[in-house]
Amino acid sequence: MSDAKITQISAKDIDAWDFEVDVVVAGYGIAGVSAAIEAARAGAEVLVLERSAGSGGAASMSGGFIYLGGGTPLQKALGFHDTTENMKAFMKAALGPGTDEQKIEVYCDESVDHYNWLVDAGVTFKESYWDQPGWEPPYDDGLMYSGGENAAPFSSSIPPAPRGHVPQMSEKKTGEQGGGYMLMKPLVETAEKLGVHAEYDIRVQSLIIDAEGRVVGVASKRYGKDVYVKARRGVVLAMGSFAYNEEMVRANAPRILGRPAASIEAHDGKAIQMAQSLGAETAHMDATEVAFFCDPQLLVRGVLINARGQRYITEDTYAGRIGQATLFHQDNQAFLIIDEAAFEEASKSESSTPELLLQPTWVGETVEDLESEIGLPAGTLQSTVDLYNRYAAEGSDPLLGKNPRWVKPLGTPIAAIDLRGRTGGFTLGGLRTDTDSRVLHVSGKPIPGLFAAGRCTSGVCAGGYASGTSLGDGSFFGRRAGISAARENNDVLVSVAVQRNSN
Amino acid sequence: MSDAKITQISAKDIDAWDFEVDVVVAGYGIAGVSAAIEAARAGAEVLVLERSAGSGGAASMSGGFIYLGGGTPLQKALGFHDTTENMKAFMKAALGPGTDEQKIEVYCDESVDHYNWLVDAGVTFKESYWDQPGWEPPYDDGLMYSGGENAAPFSSSIPPAPRGHVPQMSEKKTGEQGGGYMLMKPLVETAEKLGVHAEYDIRVQSLIIDAEGRVVGVASKRYGKDVYVKARRGVVLAMGSFAYNEEMVRANAPRILGRPAASIEAHDGKAIQMAQSLGAETAHMDATEVAFFCDPQLLVRGVLINARGQRYITEDTYAGRIGQATLFHQDNQAFLIIDEAAFEEASKSESSTPELLLQPTWVGETVEDLESEIGLPAGTLQSTVDLYNRYAAEGSDPLLGKNPRWVKPLGTPIAAIDLRGRTGGFTLGGLRTDTDSRVLHVSGKPIPGLFAAGRCTSGVCAGGYASGTSLGDGSFFGRRAGISAARENNDVLVSVAVQRNSN
């Protein structure tokens, strides 16, 4: 059975099981730990299989944002009014086109509950709001805008509220003690207290099905040796994205090819393929989060242009939106135009991120000089700056709606920062699951015994992204995966006509 | 077995076969007929199952373009120099990102052969070149540019040649006698002469597999009755795109949702799902062709702007590229700015297409007036027009590289045509196949007995499109599907470790 990778295996071919539990969870990142906790609380014996030497996954290395709203205790304590309806409206508008509306509905309806669940499990959110543009709060603040809610085009039609909830780290981020670490640590401890057992250095390779086509376990490898794990009730796939599977990226999300970011090598897409070998459906395999490697403190103070010298997105929105706009719609070509005074101000800001404080690539005494330095046709940048300055003098930006707080005429000397190719990211597409985290077959019916959550599934994001939605839906639907998998007879409601493997 | 749709079926559950042949071809459009011809020529007994009452598919209603090059007899007769290398370079540049390079290689290497094959099968290409911008030649000309080869940004780096080969229709297109009809008619006649049998009004629903997981037939429905068809050698799926499967479009290509075009209702994605139920891999499910419903005779004479009043693509490129740029990158927002003289000229052109000759939505005595009529912020359109006119006076367009043939300063009175939402199209993503048209499992290995071609597969297009590439790869890889399926022991080379259904 050594050639069994990605292909399903028949239970009758298994001579002996190495482990046997109620619920097997594959992957010990945010989705896996959330599933494990809920399955254990539901009374199931749970075994987590983790490919690396420890728990945490990509989540523990991330900023730890969880996208929550609708009036969480933290939002309320900090004086922000939010409603479930506003949260839904924003997510549907900003994370599409093509969002899974049922997922967004339930995600928002239960967002306050989910906040409380995290807090109950030991995650701490400090009652402190970070009001500066940036990827992450540099200190231990618990709340910030993380999706562009307070920027055009959303802020005028959907009442904004910050929804990026950040687990409290030590006062200033140091090494591994970031928000993601402080998210995963208490959750893993909670799981352990509940009796969840974990096996490390073990790679899940294939799903094992019984004669009726129900998933009843997994085949895995540990140091080259086969390990068979029986799941009496269900298997939860929580193995992360396919950002590090070059072939899958080329075939599905080629724009991100060669630029994985905020993901780990374990994100090889195998969970997706294992389920696909059973006929699982996928969704939005082209979707990606896109990081933009430039300090938002610079962005808000400048004017961002494309390769034609034109502005294309308001500079004060969520930097991940700017990254997507640049990579998807501007062919990864961008320049930031910023005058000397604004550059100095950003450089001196306590809110800046040193490694993202890029230096000017070109400097000009006039816009005309700079235009020529960049290699733009004469007049292109000039007309962009003229139009911007015409309105900036009165503090407005009718073209893109930048917040007056950041609108100021561009002066001289003036510089350009070359931002071409400064993007990276991870994939958002994956298995299509229902709101109970059941993996759906292309027939539309759940595959019995198989559940999934996190970045091996398509979650609340279809086209867009906001920081915290990935850990957010990973934890939220991870919990649901654990609950569903732990339920006895969890396929009673499943009426799928299983023709496969019935010979 | 009435609930068997989209799910695979075991051969041992079939009591009696209604038909039994060597090769079963599902779908009688361009890919199906090409497969049928080659399978029959290879000595196989062939049965085509077609869901509608007659042959033709979407192909017969199309313009009939086949994208061919590298020096076809037609190109040579009309004085155009083309090379296989230039054709490859263009296709890789224009149809990506993420193109299947192996497919493009073999497609280009054998393009002249494929032209000759079509001619041998009775397809006629008139030795006449149509040199006007437009979607299709209005007369019976056999060759035109159909992908933007002769426009920026490609024309300066890749020697252009027209590669849109159009089957000769009656002198002026009338009713059904278009290029697509004149493509399908001789091909179907050729198939019939070779003894290919077709059954109509029959809907293929599921694949039938044997105990080793090999595809050995299809289950279908005719007037509500089950019809089982055994394929001794292979099954070829040629059932078209998923443009009419709303759920699949929403989950994979949401930008095209609600705007199918150049496709037919039979394009329900079922071939893709049937193969997926066996673990087939898909590719580029987000990719779509995009039609732009505006006469290119108007486009080339105007200046195309987005919702910010900015130009974004040269107006003289292939109109499908403009459609993609508009739908994918400009949120389906576009306006054509055209002065009275240019509008009159386009309207009177013999090359115009009456139903696409849109009337002005707004007219202004000055650009300032027009800008205000459209609702653009003051100065936005003005600066775009000023910059365009500055260079147009000397016949150049450094911003986007429009051909001097079409560059002329915009005068007054001046009009805008509202092009928001004037797009439609069909899906280009689908099953991942190899260059022998074998359907690939997610393990990377072919699924024994299963072949596919046409728009239920991902072909030579990943992100971009050129007219003729869809009928082009449908016919080219359709032939290869037929050849592969007809081969006896066609899975001898297939080493797939079939674990499924071995219980």
Side-chain angles (χ1 to χ4, degrees), chain B residues 307-335:
Chain B
R308 297 185 294 275
Q310 304 161 331
R311 290 178 72 209
Y312 59 95
I313 189 164
T314 182
E315 296 83 359
D316 65 339
T317 189
Y318 168 55
R321 266 193 101 71
I322 298 178
Q324 289 190 321
T326 305
L327 179 61
F328 300 162
H329 305 307
Q330 305 298 338
D331 209 19
N332 221 3
Q333 306 288 300
F335 306 94

Side-chain angles (χ1 to χ4, degrees), chain A residues 15-270:
Chain A
D15 299 322
W17 298 97
D18 296 283
F19 297 95
E20 179 171 339
V21 294
D22 294 327
V23 173
V24 173
V25 177
Y28 214 171
I30 184 65
V33 72
S34 303
I37 290 171
E38 292 291 35
R41 283 185 181 158
E45 185 186 0
V46 181
L47 173 62
V48 182
L49 304 176
E50 165 58 36
R51 141 178 185 161
S52 72
S55 62
S60 65
M61 283 176 269
S62 74
F65 281 67
I66 305 266
Y67 197 83
L68 297 163
T72 65
L74 186 68
Q75 287 179 315
K76 285 182 176 169
L78 290 167
F80 290 101
H81 178 69
D82 193 13
T83 69
T84 304
E85 290 315 308
N86 290 342
M87 184 182 181
K88 288 178 186 176
F90 178 78
M91 290 180 75
K92 290 175 188 176
L95 307 182
T99 53
D100 184 326
E101 305 226 334
Q102 287 183 311
K103 277 190 181 161
I104 289 179
E105 288 286 327
V106 64
Y107 183 85
C108 295
D109 284 339
E110 298 180 17
S111 187
V112 174
D113 285 345
H114 191 49
Y115 174 90
N116 291 329
W117 182 88
L118 290 162
V119 170
D120 287 346
V123 181
T124 304
F125 299 100
K126 185 180 172 190
E127 281 184 15
S128 171
Y129 167 64
W130 179 251
D131 86 331
Q132 282 288 324
W135 279 103
E136 296 173 7
Y139 306 105
D140 62 348
D141 306 288
L143 189 65
M144 79 178 274
Y145 278 98
S146 68
E149 299 84 349
N150 57 340
F154 307 111
S155 56
S156 58
S157 54
I158 306 168
R163 302 194 183 99
H165 289 61
V166 193
Q168 186 171 13
M169 53 188 113
S170 53
E171 254 184 56
K172 174 86 182 172
K173 183 177 173 180
T174 53
E176 279 191 342
Q177 310 287 313
Y181 178 85
M182 295 308 293
L183 170 68
M184 288 304 296
K185 187 170 181 286
L187 292 179
V188 170
E189 286 168 359
T190 298
E192 284 169 353
K193 273 182 220 149
L194 288 164
V196 168
H197 181 65
E199 292 286 333
Y200 298 94
D201 301 309
I202 192 162
R203 295 191 183 210
V204 175
Q205 306 243 312
S206 306
L207 295 167
I208 299 172
I209 54 176
D210 69 11
E212 279 71 47
R214 182 185 168 82
V215 175
V216 295
V218 299
S220 50
K221 290 269 186 194
R222 183 183 244 168
Y223 310 126
K225 196 175 157 298
D226 290 325
V227 179
Y228 299 105
V229 183
K230 183 168 181 176
R232 293 182 208 106
R233 298 190 193 170
V235 170
V236 176
L237 298 175
M239 292 163 63
S241 82
F242 62 96
Y244 271 90
N245 183 318
E246 193 176 306
E247 198 176 355
M248 285 179 77
V249 170
R250 187 187 299 276
N252 294 285
R255 289 191 188 276
I256 210 80
L257 189 66
R259 45 172 59 87
S263 51
I264 54 179
E265 277 188 39
H267 287 190
D268 61 2
K270 194 162 275 183

Side-chain angles (χ1 to χ4, degrees), chain A residues 384-401:
Chain A
T384 296
V385 171
D386 287 349
L387 189 66
Y388 182 77
N389 281 353
R390 166 179 168 178
Y391 288 102
E394 58 193 44
S396 76
D397 175 26
L399 192 71
L400 291 164

Side-chain angles (χ1 to χ4, degrees), chain A residues 3 8 12 97 247 250-251 254 276 279 284 286 310-311 328-329 378 391 432 442 445 499 501-503, chain B residues 3 8 12 97 247 250-251 254 276 279 284 286 310-311 328-329 378 391 432 442 445 499 501-503:
Chain A
D3 198 26
Q8 57 186 273
K12 76 167 186 51
E247 198 176 355
R250 187 187 299 276
Q276 280 185 297
H284 301 299
D286 60 311
Q310 304 161 330
R311 291 179 71 211
F328 300 163
H329 305 308
Y391 288 102
R432 193 165 164 225
V442 288
K445 294 171 181 165
Q499 306 289 344
N501 300 291
S502 56
N503 56 302
Chain B
D3 199 23
Q8 57 185 274
K12 75 168 187 52
E247 198 176 354
R250 187 186 300 276
Q276 280 185 296
H284 300 300
D286 60 311
Q310 304 161 331
R311 290 178 72 209
F328 300 162
H329 305 307
Y391 288 101
R432 192 163 166 228
V442 288
K445 293 170 182 168
Q499 305 290 346
N501 299 287
S502 56
N503 56 302

Side-chain angles (χ1 to χ4, degrees), chain B residues 262-281:
Chain B
S263 52
I264 54 179
E265 277 189 38
H267 287 190
D268 61 2
K270 192 162 277 183
I272 298 171
Q273 293 181 315
M274 286 192 306
Q276 280 185 296
S277 82
L278 302 191
E281 196 170 2

Side-chain angles (χ1 to χ4, degrees), chain B residues 215-240:
Chain B
V215 175
V216 294
V218 299
S220 51
K221 290 267 186 193
R222 185 182 243 168
Y223 309 127
K225 198 175 156 297
D226 290 325
V227 178
Y228 299 106
V229 183
K230 183 167 181 177
R232 293 181 206 105
R233 299 190 192 170
V235 169
V236 176
L237 298 175
M239 292 162 63

Side-chain angles (χ1 to χ4, degrees), chain A residues 281 442, chain B residues 5-6 26 51 202-205 238-249 252 260 263-274 276 285 427 455-456:
Chain A
E281 195 170 2
V442 288
Chain B
K5 61 178 178 180
I6 314 182
R51 143 178 182 161
I202 191 163
R203 294 191 183 211
V204 175
Q205 305 243 313
M239 292 162 63
S241 82
F242 62 95
Y244 271 90
N245 183 318
E246 193 176 307
E247 198 176 354
M248 285 179 77
V249 169
N252 293 285
S263 52
I264 54 179
E265 277 189 38
H267 287 190
D268 61 2
K270 192 162 277 183
I272 298 171
Q273 293 181 315
M274 286 192 306
Q276 280 185 296
M285 291 290 280
T427 59
R455 269 309 53 80
C456 61

